[in-house]
Amino acid sequence: MMDNRFPFTRIVRGLPATVPFVGPEALERRRGEPFRVRVGANESAFGISPLAREAMFRAVERLSWYNDPENHEIRSAIAGFHGVPFENVSVGSGIDDLLGLVVRVFVEPGERVVTSLGAYPTFNYHVNGFGGLPHFVPYRDNRNDLEGLAEAAAKTDARLVYLSNPDNPTGTWHPAANIRAFERTLPDRCLLILDEAYSEFATQDAPPPMAPIRPRVIRMRTFSKAHGMAGARIGYAVADAVVVEALEKVRHHYGVNRVAQAGALASLEDTEFVASVVRSVAEGRTDYALLGEGLGLPTLPSATNFVAFDAGTVDRANTILDTLQRHGAFVRKPAAAPLDRFFRVTVGTPEERLLFAGILRTVLAAL
Amino acid sequence: MMDNRFPFTRIVRGLPATVPFVGPEALERRRGEPFRVRVGANESAFGISPLAREAMFRAVERLSWYNDPENHEIRSAIAGFHGVPFENVSVGSGIDDLLGLVVRVFVEPGERVVTSLGAYPTFNYHVNGFGGLPHFVPYRDNRNDLEGLAEAAAKTDARLVYLSNPDNPTGTWHPAANIRAFERTLPDRCLLILDEAYSEFATQDAPPPMAPIRPRVIRMRTFSKAHGMAGARIGYAVADAVVVEALEKVRHHYGVNRVAQAGALASLEDTEFVASVVRSVAEGRTDYALLGEGLGLPTLPSATNFVAFDAGTVDRANTILDTLQRHGAFVRKPAAAPLDRFFRVTVGTPEERLLFAGILRTVLAAL
C-alpha cells in the first residue's frame, strides 16, 4: 500500500515494487564478491569494434556538448544500412526504451497486449507501467506459439503482440516465412513488435530485409548484442513513418548519449568486426552443445548468443542455477513453465567457456 | 490530424509535432555549415574533470557489459555527497528524464501543473505528453513570481509546481530563505519540483543543504552543467523515499549508461575541478556584463553559467538573435513576454567570449 500523503496517479498506486531484472552487480553485492564468470545477461564476450572504441574516446573529449537530440547522423546511417527512408527509423536508448514508448503510444489503461509466458520481462514491465493488461500464451515445443499468439490477439482485441525472433530466453526461432504469415493473421487494430535483438546471430535463417516497410510491424534492433555495446544504451526501431512520428512526440529527446551515438555510427560500418563476433559466437554455441551432450543436459538449437540447457526438471534446474551462482558463475533461467527446466548460458570467450564448463562439472558432480 | 489506420491512444492523438528544443546540429544542417561559436545551450566551456575522462575511457573498455540498473555506486556516492540516505536519491539520464518520470507518477490526464511562462520547455513537453494541463504564471521583474506561482497552485489545485532556482532562462535567483517560505505556501496535494541544475554557479546565495529532506519538494541536480558532462546524460533527484520508490516503479532501469555512471562518480569527487569551473564562469559573467554595458545592452545579474542581455524591445532582440546566428554565433532567446526582449548567452572560454563579442559588435553596428 502506498503512502497516501502523496497524490500518486491511480496506475502508479497499483504498481508492485518489482524490477524487470536483478543485475549481476546486485547479486555480487549480496554475495560480497564478484562472479568468476559473467555469462548470464547475453552480453557480448567479444568486445567492441576498434573503430567504435576510437570514436567513443573522441566523443568523451567532446562530452560537454549535448548529444544531437535528433540523432541525425546515426539515424541516417541506420536508414542507409537497411535501405529504408530516414523517417522510418527511431533511435532510442536501447530496445527497453523503445518498448516503453511503443506501449505508451498504443495502449490505453485497461487495454490488452499479447506476449509469450516467460518472454522478455521488460515489455511486461512497461505494459503494467502504463496500465495495460498483458495476456500470456505459453511456449509450445520450446518456441513461441505463433498460432496461439494470433488467436489470443484476436480474442482479447490486443493493441500489441510482442514477439522476439530469434527468441530470448530459448534461443529458438521461426523461419522468416512463418513470421510473415503470422503478421498477416493479426487483427486490424493490432501491431506486432518484432524484437530482433539477436538477429545478427541467426545464421541459420536470416531475417527478411527491412524494406519494404510493413505498416503493422515495428521491428527493433540493438547495438547491445553483436556490436558489444550493451553499456552504451542504443537501439532502434524500424516502422511505419506514422508510428515513428508518434514516438517523436513522446520520446526523451536527449536520451541517447553522445558516446553511444558515436560508437554506434562507427560500429555499424565495421561489418567485418560484427561478422567475426558472429563466427566466434557460432563456435561457442557448438562448444556448449557438446558440453551439454557430454553432461546429459540436452541443449536447444540457438540462433542467438546464448544456449538453453535442459536440466530435465524444474527442481534440478533451480538447484543447478543456485549452485552455479554460489560457485561464481552468473547465469539466468526462465521462471515460467514449460521453460523453467532450462537454464540459459551466454556464449563466453573460449577461456570463459572453459571456466564455466569446469564450474558446471563441479556443480553436477556434487548433486 | 493523425493517421487513423493506427490505434494511438487518445493523449497521443492530441499531441502536436513539436520538440522542446531544436539542437544546434539541426540549425547547422539548415545553415550548411558549423557555427563559429556555440554559446546557446548553456553547455560548459570548461570541459570535463581529468579524473572523469580517465574513468570514462576505462568504462568504454568495459562497454560490452550492461550498466548496473540500480546505479548503486553513483547513487551511494551522491547520497554521501549530500549527507542524505541512499533511498532519497534517484538517478536518471538527465533532469529531462526525471521530469518525465515525476510528471508521470503524479499527474493524471486533465490535472493541472503550474510553471512560469517561458520557463524550461521540457517540463511542459512532459506535462502535455501525459495529458496534464500546464498553467502559466508570467515572470515578474525578470524573476519567477513566487507569490503568483503559489496563488496559481492553490487556485488550480495543481499537482506540481515547477521552479528552477537559479533560473533558466533569466539567470536570476531567489534567496534560499524565500524558497523555503514559498514551499510552505503550497497546497497539501501539490509537490514542488525545484530544478537546481545551475546551483553550483550560485556563488551569491548557495542553496540550502539537502538534509533534512522536505517531503513535498523534489530537488533536481545534473552533471550537465558545472561538471561539463551534458552529452553523457546523467542527473539525479533528491526527494522523499516514497517519491523515489514510485519513480523506481516506472523508470527505464537500464537508462543511465555505463560511461555516464563512471564519469559522474569520478567527477563528483573532483571538487577542485568543479570549483575551478565555477570561478572561470564567474569571470565570464563579469566579462559579459561589461560587454553589455559597453554596447547599451544591460544584462541581468546571473547565478548561472549564462547571461541574459536586454535588447530593449522584442523586435530588436529577435533581429539580433537572427543576425548573430547568421554570423555563426549559436545563441538562444526566450519566446514569451516579458522575457522576449532578452537574448541568452552561455559563458564561453576567454577565446570564445572574445569571438562572440566581436560578432555581437559587428551585428549591432549593422543594425
Side-chain angles (χ1 to χ4, degrees), chain A residues 2-3 5-12 15-23 25-26 29 38 41-44 46-48 53 56-57 60-61 63-70 72-73 93-94 96-97 103-108 125-126 129-130 159 188-191 215-216 224-225 228-233 240 242-243 245-259 332, chain B residues 2-3 5-12 15-23 25-26 29 38 41-44 46-48 53 56-57 60-61 63-70 72-73 93-94 96-97 103-108 125-126 129-130 159 188-191 215-216 224-225 228-233 240 242-243 245-259 332:
Chain A
M2 291 194 78
D3 195 317
R5 281 179 304 154
F6 294 98
F8 294 115
T9 64
R10 191 185 55 78
I11 290 174
V12 169
L15 289 177
T18 52
V19 297
F21 287 106
V22 176
E25 294 81 5
R29 287 189 287 272
R38 178 163 160 158
N42 304 339
E43 295 157 328
S44 179
F46 305 99
I48 54 176
R53 178 186 290 105
M56 292 196 277
F57 282 169
V60 167
E61 300 289 356
L63 210 59
S64 295
W65 282 3
Y66 283 102
N67 39 318
D68 173 13
E70 298 182 3
H72 192 274
E73 276 191 280
S93 56
D96 284 6
D97 176 29
V103 170
R104 183 173 163 192
V105 303
F106 287 115
V107 181
E108 298 276 9
Y125 171 79
H126 289 308
F130 287 107
R159 285 292 84 73
D188 267 1
R189 278 165 52 81
C190 179
L191 277 85
R216 300 228 315 288
S224 297
K225 304 298 176 188
M229 289 173 50
R233 313 312 303 127
D240 192 279
V242 174
V243 173
E245 196 190 338
L247 302 182
E248 283 296 305
K249 293 180 181 180
V250 296
R251 73 186 180 88
H252 173 21
H253 286 263
Y254 286 85
V256 181
N257 70 90
R258 203 172 174 93
V259 174
R332 283 192 178 129
Chain B
M2 291 194 76
D3 195 317
R5 280 179 303 154
F6 295 97
F8 293 115
T9 63
R10 191 185 53 79
I11 291 174
V12 169
L15 290 177
T18 53
V19 296
F21 287 105
V22 177
E25 295 81 6
R29 285 188 289 271
R38 177 164 160 156
N42 304 339
E43 296 157 327
S44 179
F46 306 98
I48 53 175
R53 179 187 289 103
M56 292 196 277
F57 283 169
V60 166
E61 300 290 356
L63 210 59
S64 295
W65 282 3
Y66 282 102
N67 39 318
D68 173 13
E70 299 182 2
H72 192 275
E73 276 191 281
S93 56
D96 284 5
D97 177 29
V103 170
R104 181 172 163 192
V105 304
F106 286 115
V107 182
E108 298 276 9
Y125 171 79
H126 289 307
F130 288 106
R159 283 296 82 74
D188 268 1
R189 277 166 52 81
C190 179
L191 278 86
R216 302 227 314 287
S224 296
K225 303 298 176 188
M229 290 172 49
R233 312 315 302 128
D240 192 279
V242 174
V243 173
E245 195 190 339
L247 302 182
E248 283 296 306
K249 292 179 181 180
V250 296
R251 74 185 179 88
H252 172 21
H253 285 264
Y254 286 84
V256 181
N257 70 90
R258 201 171 176 95
V259 173
R332 285 192 176 127

Side-chain angles (χ1 to χ4, degrees), chain A residues 12 42 53-54 68 147 166 188 218-220 288 299 302 305 309 314 326 329 333 343:
Chain A
V12 169
N42 304 339
R53 178 186 290 105
E54 286 314 307
D68 173 13
E147 274 178 46
D188 267 1
I218 303 168
R219 294 171 70 176
M220 295 192 179
Y288 281 168
T299 56
S302 167
N305 72 342
F309 290 74
V314 183
R326 253 187 295 120
K333 73 177 286 301
F343 60 94

Side-chain angles (χ1 to χ4, degrees), chain A residues 273-320:
Chain A
F273 169 77
V274 173
S276 80
V277 171
V278 169
R279 281 193 303 272
S280 301
V281 165
E283 286 170 19
R285 289 193 307 232
T286 307
D287 269 15
Y288 281 168
L290 293 172
L291 176 70
E293 202 176 299
L295 294 173
L297 300 165
T299 56
L300 294 181
S302 167
T304 65
N305 72 342
F306 60 85
V307 170
F309 290 74
D310 188 344
T313 67
V314 183
D315 282 351
R316 192 154 176 258
N318 286 333
T319 306
I320 291 174

Side-chain angles (χ1 to χ4, degrees), chain B residues 52-365:
Chain B
R53 179 187 289 103
E54 285 315 306
M56 292 196 277
F57 283 169
R58 286 194 301 276
V60 166
E61 300 290 356
R62 270 269 68 129
L63 210 59
S64 295
W65 282 3
Y66 282 102
N67 39 318
D68 173 13
E70 299 182 2
N71 298 302
H72 192 275
E73 276 191 281
I74 180 63
R75 196 177 161 193
S76 305
I78 291 164
F81 183 83
H82 289 298
V84 296
F86 180 83
E87 54 266 33
N88 292 107
V89 178
S90 183
V91 181
S93 56
I95 288 179
D96 284 5
D97 177 29
L98 293 159
L99 288 174
L101 295 176
V102 169
V103 170
R104 181 172 163 192
V105 304
F106 286 115
V107 182
E108 298 276 9
E111 287 188 332
R112 291 274 171 188
V113 306
V114 168
T115 178
S116 295
L117 179 66
Y120 195 55
T122 307
F123 175 67
N124 305 330
Y125 171 79
H126 289 307
V127 171
N128 291 328
F130 288 106
L133 302 172
H135 178 92
F136 300 108
V137 176
Y139 278 78
R140 193 167 160 174
D141 301 330
N142 306 317
R143 298 199 303 173
N144 288 289
D145 178 0
L146 297 185
E147 273 177 47
L149 290 165
E151 267 172 40
K155 206 180 64 187
T156 64
D157 184 27
R159 283 296 82 74
L160 297 171
V161 172
Y162 172 88
L163 177 68
S164 81
N165 195 57
D167 181 58
N168 178 20
T170 63
T172 60
W173 70 99
H174 285 287
N178 298 14
I179 299 289
R180 297 300 294 266
F182 172 67
E183 289 169 25
R184 285 189 289 268
T185 65
L186 292 178
D188 268 1
R189 277 166 52 81
C190 179
L191 278 86
L192 172 63
I193 298 177
L194 190 54
D195 180 342
E196 301 182 321
Y198 297 96
S199 59
E200 291 91 343
F201 303 113
T203 44
Q204 303 92 335
D205 189 14
M210 290 288 186
I213 303 291
R214 290 111 75 188
R216 302 227 314 287
V217 183
I218 303 168
R219 294 171 70 178
M220 295 192 180
R221 299 282 177 100
T222 183
F223 289 89
S224 296
K225 303 298 176 188
H227 291 272
M229 290 172 49
R233 312 315 302 128
I234 181 164
Y236 57 96
V238 176
D240 192 279
V242 174
V243 173
V244 169
E245 195 190 339
L247 302 182
E248 283 296 306
K249 292 179 181 180
V250 296
R251 74 185 179 88
H252 172 21
H253 285 264
Y254 286 84
V256 181
N257 70 90
R258 201 171 176 95
V259 173
Q261 289 175 334
L265 193 64
S267 196
L268 194 67
E269 283 167 15
D270 199 348
T271 51
E272 206 171 305
F273 169 77
V274 174
S276 80
V277 171
V278 170
R279 280 192 304 273
S280 301
V281 166
E283 286 170 21
R285 290 193 307 231
T286 307
D287 268 16
Y288 281 168
L290 293 172
L291 176 69
E293 203 176 298
L295 295 173
L297 300 164
T299 56
L300 294 182
S302 167
T304 64
N305 72 342
F306 60 87
V307 170
F309 290 75
D310 188 343
T313 67
V314 183
D315 281 352
R316 192 154 177 258
N318 286 334
T319 305
I320 291 175
L321 187 92
D322 291 348
T323 324
L324 280 172
Q325 293 215 351
R326 252 187 295 119
H327 283 73
F330 168 57
V331 167
R332 285 192 176 127
K333 73 173 288 298
L339 301 182
D340 48 356
R341 67 177 199 277
F342 290 95
F343 60 94
R344 193 195 70 176
V345 188
T346 308
V347 169
T349 60
E351 297 71 29
E352 287 170 333
R353 287 169 350 226
L354 212 58
L355 180 55
F356 172 75
I359 297 175
L360 181 59
R361 279 195 192 92
T362 310
V363 166
L364 291 174

Side-chain angles (χ1 to χ4, degrees), chain A residues 158-231:
Chain A
R159 285 292 84 73
L160 297 171
V161 172
Y162 172 87
L163 176 67
S164 81
N165 195 58
D167 181 58
N168 177 19
T170 63
T172 60
W173 70 98
H174 285 286
N178 298 13
I179 300 288
R180 298 299 294 267
F182 171 67
E183 290 169 24
R184 286 188 289 268
T185 65
L186 292 178
D188 267 1
R189 278 165 52 81
C190 179
L191 277 85
L192 172 64
I193 299 177
L194 190 54
D195 180 342
E196 300 182 321
Y198 296 97
S199 59
E200 292 91 341
F201 304 114
T203 44
Q204 303 93 337
D205 189 14
M210 289 288 186
I213 303 290
R214 290 110 76 188
R216 300 228 315 288
V217 183
I218 303 168
R219 294 171 70 176
M220 295 192 179
R221 299 282 177 100
T222 183
F223 289 90
S224 297
K225 304 298 176 188
H227 291 272
M229 289 173 50

